[in-house]
Amino acid sequence: MRLEFVCVFMIILFGLAKFGKAEIYIVTVEGEPVVSYRGGVDGFEATAVESDDDDHKLDSTSEVVVSYARHLEKRHDLLLALLFERGSYEKLYSYRHLINGFAVHLSPEQAETLRHAPGVKSVQRDWKVKRLTTHTPQFLGLPTGVWPTGGGYERAGEDIVIGFVDSGIYPHHPSFTTYNTEPYGPVSRYKGKCEVDPGTKRSFCNGKIIGAQHFAQAAIAAGAFNPSIDFDSPLDGDGHGSHTASIAAGRNGIPVRMYGHEFGKASGMAPRARIAVYKALYRLFGGFIADVVAAIDQAVHDGVDILSLSVGPNSPPSNTKTTFLNPFDATLLGAVKAGVFVAQAAGNGGPFPKSLVSYSPWIATVAAAIDDRRYKNHLILGNGKILAGIGLSPSTRLNQTYKLVAANDALLDSSVTKYSPTDCQRPEVLNKNLIKGNILLCGYSYNFVVGSASIKQVSETAKALGAVGFVLCVENVSPGAKFDPVPVGIPGILITDAGKSKELIDYYNISTPRDWTGRVKTFTGTGKIEDGLMPILHKSAPQVAVFSARGPNIKDFSFQEADLLKPDILAPGSLIWAAWSLNGTDEPNYVGEGFAMISGTSMAAPHIAGIAALIKQKHPHWSPAAIKSALMTTSTTLDRAGNPILAQQYSESEAMNLVRATPFDYGSGHVNPRAALDPGLVFDAGYEDYLGFLCTTPGIDVHEIKNYTNSPCNNSLGHPSNLNTPSITISHLVRTQIVTRTVTNVADEEETYVITARMQPAVAIDVNPPAMTIRAGASRKFTVTLTVRSVTGSYSFGEVLMKGSRGHKVRIPVLAHGYSR
């Protein structure tokens, strides 16, 4: 008989005098979780999900699974009870399905005791995560190219369940309601529960929203949770969760209206997909890995098909060396083993190299693109000069100019300077008589950067004072400053170019006579604001957004490079219109609004989650790796004009410029949903393959692998670059290396593929065979040989292209860094 258990737990103790301050810990112990338990413990049958099973899904309701999961939880409780006095710790969660463990709050001394207890594999202090913060369906070609194949938008994503680990949801938003829609029937395989709003006693679910739960035990134990602000329910107190859910699965054709103007119709990528909410992020502090892991574990247990994660760590885990091995990534490996596709935001640390926060091969890591909409507005001065800026606002009256009045020249008295009056956040400190009927000039200070001042409030101030409009001048641009257009109800413009702001200030000073004390005698400078509501559509889209995190991928927190490309794919993530929570505070410019237009890889990940739902709907038996492969091999590296995609980058002078993008910016390229539904070939992989990748990656401790996977190492893969991914990366190429890939024909008929390859001159590339015929459902291997020609000190980029006789095109990026030894 074999008796062992693996558990991960976070430990929380309310510090007694003899202990240090209690903290949260995640601990793993021996034995298998439900997803990989193959039997061996007396009285408990095997529960493992086998990767070669077509429908490899966890049956959470089977008596065998319930019984073994209960057994694991009892073992967790017993371990703690044997080691510590009751009341000296608080167990927060038992993790049983994807990793075997639990979260507990206790002192560092107790954590040390645990570390040395028999059967305990690892004890890790919890770390925090943060949020990685509509026109895109048309930009991606969904209404004409993809939705009709699934029965139109009325059926796009039907019965596919997308789980969102985020800040909750605002269930009353039109993007999520069931009003005027065909009724949603039950999804029998989904077993998630619906919490009830503690205030109204109404369920958060309505058929469209099929599950709603929240996870805050770690946040509560850490003293970070405030129920009046954070809401002790799945309600979105932030806005971020509602935004991401509506991008992936919001209803089709919802009018985006603000201040009487309709900016278009919003729709999710998969408008009929179901939404399952797992709230683990909160407005002020983000979240704790303990709560996030519990949410993921529950989501997979409940039966979600897709997981959308717009979260990333604030910092590396405290005592983990390897990027791929920690409770978070190990839980996601379990999720993928259970057949769940995982999309995660790449991070917003761009444009700097190695800034990714998503590392593992089993995850689809999503970079953010700028789509084809740009918003511009103009201020026309009385001297005829036209100053460009941004502002989603109506124009002042046509053919009419208005006096310009600076906030600094309209103070009620000198004592109000302590309120930063030039920010125009407080109407009560400014003289209404001077401002009424004129254009108010305000200054863009650091307060706008940190969020204590907002453009929305400038607009409210101008309106309260009777101004016809406002101008916000940026005089100093700090490195990395990003200015997004903000919708406002009155004419308004943000002049983002410091040079243009100086022109405006010079004009104002010349045309504003003053007495000897400096007081204005009369305001004679004039101007008018043009209409900024209509977008300009650019063919130079998509581009990689400046904030989108970049590769190379790293295998450890010493920043050693991995033999694996990240990010995987590029999707829209800049200026995305989507649902917002009326309680939302994440963006001060959208407080109290029903929609928000925001940017981040947070917005890119749910685009991929929603498109993955469409692929899953068409191909229900495909593995997560097959779905990811379809997305990657059919993506494009060209923009709408047919030119190579460009990436926003900072020049040495810290000004923004555009450079030719590489796979470190966009992975395989920008998503093409129509092609992804019919990729021809897929590069499939499963749990054993990912284990092989870990075991052959130099520098990873085999004991650490066993701690998180409960599996012995198998080195048959030979080298991590042989993992069957739809990309090839060799971070340290010496002389020659041969890489193997296996493709499976997922089309309905036999097809012959001609294989070609090209590479930048420093590395030679060769493929074998040059052509192959593959029957429907069959698999074939091919090899790629890479040889160093010259050592340049940087990566060489290339691609393998497979052209099929029936019109399929499969492309994979190739990256190699040549060394002499």
Side-chain angles (χ1 to χ4, degrees), residues 346-539:
N348 294 342
F352 307 106
K354 302 185 182 181
S355 51
L356 296 153
V357 296
S358 175
Y359 315 101
S360 296
W362 45 90
I363 299 166
T365 301
V366 189
I370 295 169
D371 69 16
D372 58 352
R373 284 170 315 141
R374 308 282 194 279
Y375 288 98
K376 269 202 171 174
N377 203 345
H378 295 92
L379 171 68
I380 302 177
L381 299 178
N383 63 2
K385 281 197 174 173
I386 301 172
L387 305 181
I390 52 175
L392 285 177
S393 83
S395 65
T396 50
R397 283 191 183 171
L398 290 175
N399 304 319
Q400 194 167 337
T401 58
Y402 299 88
K403 289 181 179 177
L404 305 175
V405 178
N408 252 354
D409 290 324
L411 306 183
L412 279 175
D413 62 64
S414 59
S415 67
V416 301
T417 51
K418 62 185 176 186
Y419 297 117
S420 303
T422 55
D423 287 357
C424 298
Q425 299 296 291
R426 293 168 173 253
E428 67 272 16
V429 304
L430 299 173
N431 188 332
K432 185 172 185 175
N433 294 330
L434 293 176
I435 294 166
K436 188 174 181 181
N438 298 320
I439 293 175
L440 176 63
L441 300 186
C442 309
Y444 189 94
S445 71
Y446 187 66
N447 294 333
F448 288 88
V449 179
V450 297
S452 58
S454 71
I455 295 170
K456 179 187 174 84
Q457 187 52 46
V458 174
S459 170
E460 299 290 333
T461 297
K463 194 173 174 184
L465 295 168
V468 297
F470 68 87
V471 179
L472 196 52
C473 296
V474 178
E475 293 182 70
N476 297 297
V477 181
S478 47
K482 187 168 78 63
F483 302 106
D484 287 345
V486 173
V488 289
I490 66 170
I493 185 170
L494 172 67
I495 308 291
T496 58
D497 184 311
K500 302 284 186 206
S501 290
K502 185 177 184 306
E503 284 185 49
L504 168 58
I505 293 163
D506 289 347
Y507 167 72
Y508 178 79
N509 287 334
I510 289 165
S511 55
T512 307
R514 301 171 186 271
D515 64 18
W516 66 273
T517 66
R519 185 173 296 171
V520 174
K521 290 181 182 177
T522 177
F523 296 99
T524 59
T526 60
K528 62 179 180 178
I529 297 167
E530 298 209 306
D531 189 314
L533 292 170
M534 293 304 293
I536 303 157
L537 299 181
H538 281 246
K539 282 194 172 177

Side-chain angles (χ1 to χ4, degrees), residues 292-338:
V292 170
V293 167
I296 295 166
D297 189 75
Q298 188 65 49
V300 176
H301 166 271
D302 292 345
V304 303
D305 299 298
I306 313 282
L307 265 176
S308 181
L309 300 173
S310 291
V311 303
N314 286 5
S315 57
S318 56
N319 57 343
T320 297
K321 291 186 283 292
T322 307
T323 49
F324 316 120
L325 289 171
N326 57 70
F328 180 69
D329 285 78
T331 300
L332 293 176
L333 176 57
V336 169
K337 188 178 197 297

